[in-house]
Amino acid sequence: MWLHVRLSEVCLFLQAMFILACCFSDMESGPIATSGSVQPNGDRFKIEGRAIVPGVKTQDWISSARVTVEGEEYIGFLRTDGSFVVNDVPSGSYVVEVISPGYKFEAVRVDITSKGKMRARLVNFIKTSEVIRQPYPLQLRSSGPHTYFMKRETWGWTDFLMNPMVMMMVLPLLIIVLLPKVVNTNDPEMRKEMEQSMNMLNPNPELPDVSEFMTKLFSGSKSSSSKAIGGSKASGRPAVKRRNYCNWSCHGNYNTIFFKRAFSFVFCK
Amino acid sequence: MKPPAKMSKPTSLFVIFFSLFIMSEAVFEDQVGKFDWRQQYVGKTLFAHFDSHSQSSNKLFLATDKNIFASFNSRTGDLLWRHVDKVGPEGTIDILVLHGQDALMVVGGGRLLRSWDTNMGGLNWEAVLDTGSFQAACFVAIQDTVKHVAVLKKAAISLHYLTNGHQKWVENLPDSDTVQYQAVYSGGEVEVYVLGVVPNSHLTIIAYSLEDGEIIKQRSVEAPWLSSVESSCVVIGQGVLMCVDPATLALYTLPIQAEEAPQFNQILLQVTPVQPRLEVSLGFQPVLVSSQPHPARSPISEFFLQLGPDHHVLLQLNADGYTIAALRDFQPAFLVSFATTGEKTVAVVMTPKNETLYVHAFLKKDDSVDYRVLVQTQDHALTFIQQPGRVVWTREEALADVVTMEMVDLPLTGTQAELEGEFGKKADGLFPMVLKRLSSQVILLQAWLAHLWKLFYEARKPHGQVKNEVTIETLSRDEFNLQKMMVMVTASGKLFGIDSKSGSILWKHYLENVQPNAVFKLIVQRTTAHFPHPPQCTLLIKDKDTGLASLHVFNPIFGRKSHIAPPALPRPILQSLLLPVIDQDYAKVLLLVDDQYKVTAFPSTKNVLQQLQEMASSIFFYLIRSDQGNLSGFRLRKDLSTERIWEVVLPTEVQKIVAVNGKRPNEHVHSQGRVMGDRSVLYKYLNPNLLAVVTESTDAHPERAFVGVFLVDGVTGRIIHEAVQRKARGPVHFVHSENWVVYEYWNTKSRRNEFSVLELFEGTELYNSTVFSSLDRPHLPQVLQQTYIFPSPITTMEATLTEKGITSRHLLVGLPSGAILSLPKMFLDPRRPEVVTEHSREENLIPYAPEMPIRTEWFINYNQTVARVKGIYTAPSGLESTCLVVAYGLDIYQTRVYPSKQFDVLKDDYDYVLISSVLFALFFATMISKRLAQVKLLNRAWR
């Protein structure tokens, strides 16, 4: 544990070093970076910054990346050290984005006043005037590679066993098999006790058995069929509700709709 | 239509919906490349350089007319990396020069100077140049090391450091308003020479000091014959300027560095002692070609003189600097170029047939002279040739600019057609039908056996020898009609037939003399469904300026030009429409309306004309004149003239018509209405004649700009609905389908992109449920609208399309990042409630949220981005669940999408092993338990 913490600390330190070093090299590469924002050709400005993909060498990703300002209105390219400059941008407010097919970057809104003062803030399309300041020159850190793919649903024994339906089937089975072994059924006292408890569980001995009910239903006697209808009426509301739930959850996905309809149908019956 | 800022209340519910939606559309990792492919292009080459930095390198650097700087592997022609700059003049590449690992580029008409690290594909530096149009640039070397680059502009010259792009000095050129400065030359000394010309008067030579930009000397030489340095002069040998005068057919030489007042030395071509005699072809402007292998050294003294279109002479300037000697005469030779390595120089001449443009050559090894050639031909093909004339690879760069495309079904094979034919014919008795059935079954059996035999035969062969090459001959429709022929029309006038499964080009046809500003419309007149008749496509090529059009009729499967003669079109064409009327050969009729509102039919047989006469009163069409803000509807008369029946005028001083779009004719709508939460039905307003007209305001002020959407009935001219989006501007992208219109615009107030959806409903009762008639619809539809924020700009938009329209719809949105987002139409439903109720939940309506999500899982092309997506083409396949998608722009990407998942076929991750093992296990379990039961019964019987 200690080692782990220590390691991450070292990592952090190294990263800090790296950023520092980069800043220094920027200084050295001189006038482009430090000559100020105002350029010779009138009221055109430049947007500067640096994009970093932690743990990835710049040469592995910069050749496929670029910087776009407000869609494709202004385009900048990344330098070999990951820094960038977008030249010839008039004053205004722009969404600056580093676009790379491999790594994702957060977009930043950059405001340039007519005098060339720069400000970077978080992009918020709903509250457009909200200002949460970001560092300028921009420091854009990638939050990792894009997730383009879905994970396939794989089939494993544990998934199967942990399924509640399976659990419901397996547990009673275990109880049926194991209980007689645990409890000594030859003991007459015990047997008496069990019989009593069974009677407790089945308080209404007159209630017809399920199988009996089914045979009555299919034998077609009038009185029982009307009873059955009455029963279904009584259970109507919860059934509808259940169906609603099914519909609600499947979203025009045809096979699932079909499946769930069928399922709910069975369920409601 | 401002989306409410507050978030919808039941957030938790939304999360639940969301998690369900994640499943709706995504690619699995193992599906990569299974049914999708991408081809990357760069466009027509303007500058090309071989990487001569190291001997073993096989890199190639190109700058193209599509503002792209790209690197290729020269062995295979594969793209290593490329940088796509802005479209238009701001991104144009003026020059590309290579030195060592650095590639220097002047961009945007002298706007920027960029240096690229060619090894990594990253930028070294970028410097902003002073304003002024770019003229020339060259490397400047001192004592054999190249340290600077000189950039010549119209009125100034500047010198930049190669290492960081900083400007060393910049100097204004004297008399720049009269003198046209066109060339800059450095031969490795401490001076940089700038050559300028006052046309037909004199030549100006200025020498600048490398150190501080001071003018060392300035001379002016009489040259009344000279009009342009750029086109008629080169520098050869030890700084000798060689010019050619086409009028007197003479060469002029002048030493640039000369101290005293210099004079041009004239060499008349006719009287030179050179053999063979140098005779210029009639009317040809002679051209000089020279080479400066290294910026630190002076150019070589050999040069080419082009005397005719196919005639070059290799000449040499003698050491005295005044006389020339002929080395060799090349005829025929269309293209020439020099290449140098070490001390050796190769001159390359080439004689292609009828193809002209760029040749770049280079030497590979020091001892043996070896070269590779890159040829850019007129039809935008880029060919790479190795020494013995072997073509290593060819790239069809015309595909970088696809204008329009269609997907055509592949033909049935002979046996398939026979089987199909059985059902089509009229029954002629029971017995013959049975016989036919049996014979076709025998044919099927034969085909199956042949297939088995082939499989067996190929299995015996070692791997690698079995080739699965797709050729036109082996093409046939697959059982779900997923493989189709993509007919692509490019801006250069080259047509391609591409197999949609593999992406291989099966045929190409170059239409010569297509104007660069031509517009194209591709029409499928006859599909492959009418077996004995070949399929037929017609390409309407229209000159944008004059409106004059021509037709190219061809077979889309083989690319061959049809023998059917298209009609002559002497007048400008305003509109073309494809009627559902078919002639006796099953070709749909194409009507072309000219500027006198006369109609030409193609094909125009007697049968067709008769049908047209009968149907004339029900054929309507519309014309747009966006310059007059005029939208008008016409009806066809029996004599093929037309009458105007309605007109809508949108005043051009307020707004201009940007786009007009009807619905796609091959679109099917399966359900007539939507079932609501209370079990009533809301019927869709499905008007097949509805046009969506999009306008933009002429006033561009952010406060007053607006975007308008008009829904107009194309038959009656009735404006069904009118929606105006205030404080909005284009570019507007929109899709019009079924009973909805989705459009996207830029909100100038909040500076964001917004999607708006309009949905039209008839109400809970249908007026006339059997047939729709525009003339008999008294009630206007109910229109619902909702607007959402979209967190990215978009470049194009299209809706998915399936065979019967049962599958739910998705919108395919092309983003500037090159991703193609598959956005469920469900998110763009104006009935999305702000507050969730029982009814809305029952209807599966997602609660309203102002911001539309963009999830990378919804990108159908994962990391295979399509640069500059220009269009997305969708086509139905034989499977209802599947829609074929082609996105084109700079690249071409083909894939399939399943908007409602694959509900009609087994998924490709279907677990056959599990199902069969469970089946077998159950089977054996029953067997065993049966046996056990028997034993038990027997035992009991014995008891």
Side-chain angles (χ1 to χ4, degrees), chain B residues 351-363:
Chain B
T351 54
K353 303 157 261 134
N354 234 344
E355 291 169 338
T356 43
L357 270 176
Y358 300 90
V359 180
H360 296 275
F362 120 113
L363 266 171

PDB file of all heavy atoms in Angstrom, chain B residues 351-363:
ATOM      1  N   THR B 351       6.839   9.295 -72.124  1.00  0.00           N
ATOM      2  CA  THR B 351       5.918   9.449 -73.248  1.00  0.00           C
ATOM      3  C   THR B 351       4.614   8.703 -72.981  1.00  0.00           C
ATOM      4  O   THR B 351       4.351   7.675 -73.561  1.00  0.00           O
ATOM      5  CB  THR B 351       6.531   8.883 -74.537  1.00  0.00           C
ATOM      6  OG1 THR B 351       6.934   7.534 -74.262  1.00  0.00           O
ATOM      7  CG2 THR B 351       7.690   9.679 -75.012  1.00  0.00           C
ATOM      8  N   PRO B 352       3.848   9.181 -72.063  1.00  0.00           N
ATOM      9  CA  PRO B 352       2.546   8.535 -71.884  1.00  0.00           C
ATOM     10  C   PRO B 352       1.593   8.958 -72.998  1.00  0.00           C
ATOM     11  O   PRO B 352       1.812   9.975 -73.657  1.00  0.00           O
ATOM     12  CB  PRO B 352       2.084   9.061 -70.533  1.00  0.00           C
ATOM     13  CG  PRO B 352       2.855  10.305 -70.324  1.00  0.00           C
ATOM     14  CD  PRO B 352       3.979  10.385 -71.285  1.00  0.00           C
ATOM     15  N   LYS B 353       0.592   8.140 -73.170  1.00  0.00           N
ATOM     16  CA  LYS B 353      -0.375   8.469 -74.209  1.00  0.00           C
ATOM     17  C   LYS B 353      -1.356   9.463 -73.629  1.00  0.00           C
ATOM     18  O   LYS B 353      -2.074   9.145 -72.692  1.00  0.00           O
ATOM     19  CB  LYS B 353      -1.141   7.232 -74.678  1.00  0.00           C
ATOM     20  CG  LYS B 353      -0.263   6.136 -75.185  1.00  0.00           C
ATOM     21  CD  LYS B 353      -0.989   4.806 -75.093  1.00  0.00           C
ATOM     22  CE  LYS B 353      -0.571   4.063 -73.868  1.00  0.00           C
ATOM     23  NZ  LYS B 353      -1.526   3.482 -73.053  1.00  0.00           N
ATOM     24  N   ASN B 354      -1.366  10.593 -74.169  1.00  0.00           N
ATOM     25  CA  ASN B 354      -2.434  11.535 -73.883  1.00  0.00           C
ATOM     26  C   ASN B 354      -2.530  11.967 -72.424  1.00  0.00           C
ATOM     27  O   ASN B 354      -3.509  12.574 -72.044  1.00  0.00           O
ATOM     28  CB  ASN B 354      -3.774  10.904 -74.268  1.00  0.00           C
ATOM     29  CG  ASN B 354      -4.516  11.809 -75.213  1.00  0.00           C
ATOM     30  OD1 ASN B 354      -4.166  12.973 -75.323  1.00  0.00           O
ATOM     31  ND2 ASN B 354      -5.513  11.283 -75.883  1.00  0.00           N
ATOM     32  N   GLU B 355      -1.589  11.600 -71.615  1.00  0.00           N
ATOM     33  CA  GLU B 355      -1.680  11.958 -70.207  1.00  0.00           C
ATOM     34  C   GLU B 355      -0.547  12.908 -69.891  1.00  0.00           C
ATOM     35  O   GLU B 355       0.594  12.656 -70.244  1.00  0.00           O
ATOM     36  CB  GLU B 355      -1.569  10.710 -69.332  1.00  0.00           C
ATOM     37  CG  GLU B 355      -2.782   9.817 -69.481  1.00  0.00           C
ATOM     38  CD  GLU B 355      -2.571   8.487 -68.833  1.00  0.00           C
ATOM     39  OE1 GLU B 355      -1.396   8.109 -68.640  1.00  0.00           O
ATOM     40  OE2 GLU B 355      -3.562   7.827 -68.525  1.00  0.00           O
ATOM     41  N   THR B 356      -0.864  13.947 -69.224  1.00  0.00           N
ATOM     42  CA  THR B 356       0.160  14.941 -68.934  1.00  0.00           C
ATOM     43  C   THR B 356       0.090  15.319 -67.473  1.00  0.00           C
ATOM     44  O   THR B 356      -0.951  15.213 -66.857  1.00  0.00           O
ATOM     45  CB  THR B 356      -0.060  16.204 -69.782  1.00  0.00           C
ATOM     46  OG1 THR B 356      -1.423  16.492 -69.778  1.00  0.00           O
ATOM     47  CG2 THR B 356       0.452  16.024 -71.180  1.00  0.00           C
ATOM     48  N   LEU B 357       1.117  15.700 -66.943  1.00  0.00           N
ATOM     49  CA  LEU B 357       1.252  16.507 -65.730  1.00  0.00           C
ATOM     50  C   LEU B 357       2.592  16.322 -65.040  1.00  0.00           C
ATOM     51  O   LEU B 357       3.598  16.608 -65.649  1.00  0.00           O
ATOM     52  CB  LEU B 357       0.094  16.378 -64.769  1.00  0.00           C
ATOM     53  CG  LEU B 357      -0.990  17.412 -65.043  1.00  0.00           C
ATOM     54  CD1 LEU B 357      -2.160  17.175 -64.118  1.00  0.00           C
ATOM     55  CD2 LEU B 357      -0.515  18.833 -64.876  1.00  0.00           C
ATOM     56  N   TYR B 358       2.579  15.830 -63.812  1.00  0.00           N
ATOM     57  CA  TYR B 358       3.796  15.951 -63.008  1.00  0.00           C
ATOM     58  C   TYR B 358       4.638  14.682 -63.014  1.00  0.00           C
ATOM     59  O   TYR B 358       4.102  13.587 -62.920  1.00  0.00           O
ATOM     60  CB  TYR B 358       3.453  16.259 -61.566  1.00  0.00           C
ATOM     61  CG  TYR B 358       2.691  17.527 -61.435  1.00  0.00           C
ATOM     62  CD1 TYR B 358       1.309  17.524 -61.492  1.00  0.00           C
ATOM     63  CD2 TYR B 358       3.359  18.728 -61.298  1.00  0.00           C
ATOM     64  CE1 TYR B 358       0.588  18.696 -61.402  1.00  0.00           C
ATOM     65  CE2 TYR B 358       2.653  19.901 -61.196  1.00  0.00           C
ATOM     66  CZ  TYR B 358       1.279  19.882 -61.248  1.00  0.00           C
ATOM     67  OH  TYR B 358       0.577  21.040 -61.152  1.00  0.00           O
ATOM     68  N   VAL B 359       5.929  14.873 -63.077  1.00  0.00           N
ATOM     69  CA  VAL B 359       6.848  13.760 -62.916  1.00  0.00           C
ATOM     70  C   VAL B 359       7.832  14.155 -61.837  1.00  0.00           C
ATOM     71  O   VAL B 359       8.337  15.272 -61.824  1.00  0.00           O
ATOM     72  CB  VAL B 359       7.607  13.454 -64.214  1.00  0.00           C
ATOM     73  CG1 VAL B 359       8.554  12.300 -64.009  1.00  0.00           C
ATOM     74  CG2 VAL B 359       6.652  13.163 -65.322  1.00  0.00           C
ATOM     75  N   HIS B 360       8.049  13.266 -60.916  1.00  0.00           N
ATOM     76  CA  HIS B 360       9.074  13.512 -59.909  1.00  0.00           C
ATOM     77  C   HIS B 360       9.965  12.287 -59.903  1.00  0.00           C
ATOM     78  O   HIS B 360       9.488  11.170 -59.785  1.00  0.00           O
ATOM     79  CB  HIS B 360       8.450  13.720 -58.544  1.00  0.00           C
ATOM     80  CG  HIS B 360       7.608  14.932 -58.506  1.00  0.00           C
ATOM     81  ND1 HIS B 360       8.118  16.167 -58.256  1.00  0.00           N
ATOM     82  CD2 HIS B 360       6.295  15.088 -58.732  1.00  0.00           C
ATOM     83  CE1 HIS B 360       7.129  17.036 -58.308  1.00  0.00           C
ATOM     84  NE2 HIS B 360       6.022  16.407 -58.603  1.00  0.00           N
ATOM     85  N   ALA B 361      11.241  12.517 -60.056  1.00  0.00           N
ATOM     86  CA  ALA B 361      12.131  11.377 -60.142  1.00  0.00           C
ATOM     87  C   ALA B 361      13.191  11.486 -59.073  1.00  0.00           C
ATOM     88  O   ALA B 361      13.409  12.559 -58.511  1.00  0.00           O
ATOM     89  CB  ALA B 361      12.775  11.332 -61.507  1.00  0.00           C
ATOM     90  N   PHE B 362      13.819  10.371 -58.798  1.00  0.00           N
ATOM     91  CA  PHE B 362      14.862  10.429 -57.782  1.00  0.00           C
ATOM     92  C   PHE B 362      15.741   9.204 -57.875  1.00  0.00           C
ATOM     93  O   PHE B 362      15.374   8.185 -58.468  1.00  0.00           O
ATOM     94  CB  PHE B 362      14.179  10.636 -56.424  1.00  0.00           C
ATOM     95  CG  PHE B 362      14.393   9.591 -55.391  1.00  0.00           C
ATOM     96  CD1 PHE B 362      15.114   9.888 -54.254  1.00  0.00           C
ATOM     97  CD2 PHE B 362      13.876   8.328 -55.547  1.00  0.00           C
ATOM     98  CE1 PHE B 362      15.281   8.936 -53.290  1.00  0.00           C
ATOM     99  CE2 PHE B 362      14.048   7.383 -54.579  1.00  0.00           C
ATOM    100  CZ  PHE B 362      14.762   7.685 -53.446  1.00  0.00           C
ATOM    101  N   LEU B 363      16.912   9.327 -57.370  1.00  0.00           N
ATOM    102  CA  LEU B 363      17.893   8.257 -57.449  1.00  0.00           C
ATOM    103  C   LEU B 363      17.908   7.470 -56.160  1.00  0.00           C
ATOM    104  O   LEU B 363      17.782   8.033 -55.095  1.00  0.00           O
ATOM    105  CB  LEU B 363      19.274   8.874 -57.641  1.00  0.00           C
ATOM    106  CG  LEU B 363      19.732   8.998 -59.077  1.00  0.00           C
ATOM    107  CD1 LEU B 363      20.974   9.814 -59.119  1.00  0.00           C
ATOM    108  CD2 LEU B 363      19.990   7.621 -59.659  1.00  0.00           C
TER     109      LEU B 363
END
